[in-house]
Amino acid sequence: MGKYFGTDGFRGEANVTLTVDHAFKVGRFLGWYYGKNHENGKAKIVIGKDTRRSSYMFEYSLVAGLTASGADAYLLHVTTTPSVSYVARTEDFDCGIMISASHNPFYDNGIKLINAAGEKMKEDVIAEIEKYLDGELGEIPYATRENIGCTVDYTAGRNRYMGYLMSLAIYSFKGIRVGLDASNGSAWTLAKAVFDALGAKTYVINAAPDGTNINANCGSTHIEGLQDLVRREHLDVGFAFDGDADRCLCVDEKGEVITGDHILYIYGCYMKDRDKLVGNKVVTTVMSNFGLYKAFDAVGIEYEKTKVGDKYVYECMSENGYRIGGEQSGHIIFSKYATTGDGIITALKMMEVMLAKKKTLSELAAPLVIYPQVLKNIRVTDKTQAQDDADVKAAVEAVANALVHRMWDIPASIKISMYSDKIEISSPGVLPAGISEDEYLNGQISLLRNPIIGNVFFRLKYIEKFGTGIMRINYAYKDALIKPDYHIFSNSIQIILPVIKSDYKLNETEKKLLNILKINGSMTRNEIEKAAEIDKSKAIRGLNRLIEKKMIQKRDLGRGTKYEIV
């Protein structure tokens, strides 16, 4: 990710983080950059927008920038992100632009850039745009006279996209009662038009955008309204979209939420039954629920796991030829039909499975048991550094192993206690029969009491194939001054993970002693006193404090007792 553009484009509060000046410059660059590929210097660029009040402002700014650089701007007006992707890849455009901040509140907005293949724009082009925004590329020439670009009303492109969606349905929806939550966003006319044309009896909510109510207590991020609609009107199914309709969550006939994980499971099984599941794999992300992997294992479906973001899901799919992948949030990619997540296609595909299998959505989702899960966004300054942090890796390993090795016949929960300087993880159970404490703590041997969970965690690279995980936990702390501690009790096993800090509040004597031991290795107290030039009592106090902090250890060799770094 760059300075301005993330995995979902340039996004932020309108005229605060993302300004009209930014939009104008993005248009200027794209018009000039793609114009170089044409003899007449004229690029063709298609633009769509969602229903935010600021979307019109950004549309005019982009158009001004594009035409000032000689490009022709084709306006789809209010439409969905996947429609821009479809039009860009099927109608000979140089690129596409979608003005939307997806599921964010109305005061945010964003610029999503799409290449001629309908995919997210390549990083090298994004990097050049950012250089231009920062003034590193110098001036771009203005088009003049007849070379100034034109603005074209292109609702025909949106209509062709709607026709494409209708062509994907292989069954009539006649007689099926369908609820639609348009989130007061891009799908507010499209979704109803498609489902009505296919014969469904539609019940639509949140389809009255006013520029400030997009995603406001509605859509896929606030699905309670659709649940209430389905229950109140006794509907067969409901579909909720987000602001730009690249996501879709479902509600079954009982009013229960069907998440992106359910959708991946339902359609993955449907593809496998028809021998259409390429590589026998579904692409998921690290946010997917553990229950999804367990359900996949039960039906013999394999899976890949990527970082969060449809960008990474699509990259994995395109590199390996996989046909389905997505996120728990409802961002599902059907690569045979689209190059990005498409909420309306997702809804159509769920309808297809229901009609083909002659089952309700609740029946199709029943084998998938969702496990308790808490997802919380935590703001960090460096995402990669946070994910590679030794504390984090060790904590994941420890908790995963606690689940794998715990005894379930003991009426107690795994306990995780977090302090400012440590994390304590206690798992119910005793050592497996026939395994000594030394063997367990050396991490060389163990017994998987929960092999199904263990197999899933191993495939997700949370744990080692064999052992207790202690070797990997210790390795995570190999460069740390304070090491993990392990305690085996009569009915539980406890792991204490110290928080790795750059400053352990050592006094000058402790720092001097620690540095001497780092340089010289194992030393007697007399040797340490001489090297540090301090008296016996001061040396003993400093060494004992370092032992208490688990930075050094004492090897008892009688009169030759030595101290060394842990």
Side-chain angles (χ1 to χ4, degrees):
M1 295 188 293
K3 177 179 177 181
Y4 301 103
F5 286 83
T7 57
D8 279 316
F10 189 165
R11 185 180 294 184
E13 186 173 346
N15 278 345
V16 177
T17 307
L18 172 63
T19 68
V20 290
D21 187 50
H22 288 129
F24 177 73
K25 288 181 177 178
V26 170
R28 287 275 287 129
F29 179 88
L30 292 175
W32 167 77
Y33 179 84
Y34 286 105
K36 295 186 298 180
N37 298 331
H38 300 272
E39 287 185 10
N40 64 359
K42 281 195 172 296
K44 279 180 60 181
I45 296 174
V46 62
I47 303 176
K49 64 176 182 285
D50 68 16
T51 59
R52 295 163 210 272
R53 181 170 295 174
S54 62
S55 291
Y56 295 80
M57 173 182 74
F58 286 121
E59 179 184 54
Y60 301 150
S61 298
L62 283 162
V63 169
L66 289 167
T67 54
S69 290
D72 290 340
Y74 288 70
L75 306 185
L76 296 174
H77 302 290
V78 173
T79 191
T80 66
T81 293
S83 75
V84 177
S85 172
Y86 172 80
V87 171
R89 71 182 171 88
T90 60
E91 299 190 30
D92 195 32
F93 283 95
D94 291 287
C95 72
I97 304 173
M98 179 64 186
I99 304 163
S100 176
S102 191
H103 57 280
N104 284 27
F106 83 92
Y107 48 78
D108 286 343
N109 216 324
I111 297 174
K112 297 183 179 183
L113 301 180
I114 298 165
N115 65 22
E119 304 167 338
K120 292 194 175 184
M121 196 163 283
K122 301 302 181 184
E123 292 297 328
D124 58 338
V125 182
I126 296 293
E128 291 300 304
I129 295 172
E130 295 207 339
K131 287 180 182 178
Y132 179 63
L133 291 175
D134 283 335
E136 297 177 14
L137 293 186
E139 291 299 319
I140 287 176
Y142 282 99
T144 58
R145 299 190 178 189
E146 69 276 7
N147 294 320
I148 293 173
C150 298
T151 303
V152 181
D153 187 319
Y154 202 57
T155 52
R158 185 180 60 192
N159 293 337
R160 275 195 281 275
Y161 167 71
M162 290 174 62
Y164 171 67
L165 292 177
M166 295 172 196
S167 74
L168 297 180
I170 61 176
Y171 298 102
S172 168
F173 295 171
K174 186 176 181 180
I176 300 179
R177 295 158 56 84
V178 179
L180 300 171
D181 185 341
S183 199
N184 292 314
S186 293
W188 80 283
T189 58
L190 279 108
K192 175 176 170 56
V194 170
F195 275 82
D196 283 349
L198 294 171
K201 173 62 175 174
T202 56
Y203 296 74
V204 184
I205 58 174
N206 301 311
D210 64 8
T212 63
N213 61 359
I214 184 172
N215 300 317
N217 298 312
C218 59
S220 60
T221 53
H222 298 278
I223 203 167
E224 302 84 8
L226 182 62
Q227 290 179 277
D228 180 64
L229 175 70
V230 170
R231 290 172 180 142
R232 186 175 68 250
E233 300 292 341
H234 306 289
L235 304 184
D236 298 305
V237 66
F239 301 106
F241 308 101
D242 68 339
D244 65 338
D246 62 354
R247 302 186 189 193
C248 173
L249 292 182
C250 315
V251 173
D252 67 24
E253 77 287 355
K254 298 177 181 178
E256 299 299 320
V257 177
I258 300 297
T259 69
D261 284 347
H262 289 95
I263 294 168
L264 291 175
Y265 173 75
I266 291 168
Y267 205 79
C269 290
Y270 179 58
M271 293 181 75
K272 183 177 176 64
D273 290 344
R274 297 177 299 132
D275 294 323
K276 302 289 187 180
L277 190 59
V278 176
N280 193 40
K281 282 191 177 181
V282 175
V283 181
T284 69
T285 76
V286 293
M287 288 293 192
S288 288
N289 190 273
F290 166 69
L292 175 63
Y293 302 115
K294 192 171 180 180
F296 277 153
D297 285 341
V299 295
I301 291 177
E302 298 178 2
Y303 39 84
E304 294 281 357
K305 178 184 172 190
T306 74
K307 293 187 287 187
V308 176
D310 63 305
K311 164 184 165 66
Y312 303 110
V313 172
Y314 181 72
E315 284 177 356
C316 180
M317 294 175 70
S318 60
E319 288 170 5
N320 298 284
Y322 300 139
R323 288 290 182 85
I324 181 170
E327 301 180 280
Q328 189 182 81
S329 60
H331 209 140
I332 311 298
I333 300 174
F334 299 87
S335 63
K336 182 178 179 180
Y337 309 106
T339 53
T340 185
D342 190 318
I344 299 177
I345 288 181
T346 299
L348 294 174
K349 288 299 168 183
M350 287 297 96
M351 292 288 289
E352 179 181 327
V353 181
M354 290 169 59
L355 291 166
K357 294 286 189 179
K358 295 181 172 60
K359 290 184 177 181
T360 64
L361 206 52
S362 67
E363 290 173 326
L364 293 168
L368 170 56
V369 178
I370 295 296
Y371 284 69
Q373 180 181 28
V374 176
L375 301 179
K376 184 175 182 180
N377 291 325
I378 299 175
R379 188 174 295 277
V380 296
T381 54
D382 188 320
K383 187 174 181 180
T384 302
Q385 184 179 358
Q387 291 174 331
D388 292 340
D389 184 85
D391 293 345
V392 174
K393 287 185 173 181
V396 169
E397 181 85 35
V399 173
N401 274 279
L403 288 166
V404 169
H405 296 288
R406 70 155 292 170
M407 293 177 67
W408 295 94
D409 54 353
I410 295 176
S413 301
I414 294 172
K415 183 180 179 182
I416 303 173
S417 303
M418 303 185 72
Y419 304 92
S420 61
D421 61 342
K422 63 184 176 181
I423 301 172
E424 294 182 357
I425 301 164
S426 297
S427 177
V430 297
L431 287 179
I435 296 178
S436 70
E437 187 171 320
D438 285 342
E439 288 173 325
Y440 188 83
L441 291 178
N442 285 332
Q444 297 172 345
I445 188 170
S446 185
L447 175 66
L448 296 179
R449 292 193 175 100
N450 306 288
I452 295 177
I453 297 176
N455 183 51
V456 171
F457 281 177
F458 170 69
R459 291 169 68 178
L460 296 177
K461 299 179 181 179
Y462 287 162
I463 64 172
E464 298 171 286
K465 182 65 174 177
F466 302 108
T468 61
I470 289 175
M471 289 178 69
R472 288 216 311 193
I473 293 171
N474 287 338
Y475 182 78
Y477 281 84
K478 63 182 175 60
D479 297 322
L481 294 176
I482 302 180
K483 306 298 182 181
D485 203 3
Y486 308 93
H487 299 285
I488 297 174
F489 302 108
S490 59
N491 60 359
S492 67
I493 297 173
Q494 183 186 61
I495 298 176
I496 301 175
L497 303 174
V499 173
I500 298 175
K501 302 176 182 177
S502 58
D503 179 12
Y504 288 97
K505 297 182 179 178
L506 303 180
N507 62 34
E508 291 304 315
T509 299
E510 292 166 357
K511 290 178 182 177
K512 182 184 286 188
L513 296 178
L514 196 62
N515 190 51
I516 288 170
L517 288 172
K518 279 184 180 178
I519 295 171
N520 298 292
S522 183
M523 299 175 71
T524 66
R525 193 195 71 240
N526 287 334
E527 291 171 337
I528 294 170
E529 289 172 17
K530 291 178 181 178
E533 298 179 342
I534 57 176
D535 59 36
K536 176 180 177 181
S537 61
K538 199 170 186 178
I540 291 174
R541 284 197 304 272
L543 291 170
N544 286 340
R545 281 196 294 266
L546 290 174
I547 290 172
E548 289 172 4
K549 294 174 181 177
K550 294 185 171 55
M551 294 183 176
I552 67 170
Q553 63 185 1
K554 181 167 65 173
R555 294 179 58 199
D556 192 0
L557 302 173
R559 292 174 63 88
T561 297
K562 291 193 173 185
Y563 299 84
E564 59 188 24
I565 298 288
V566 174

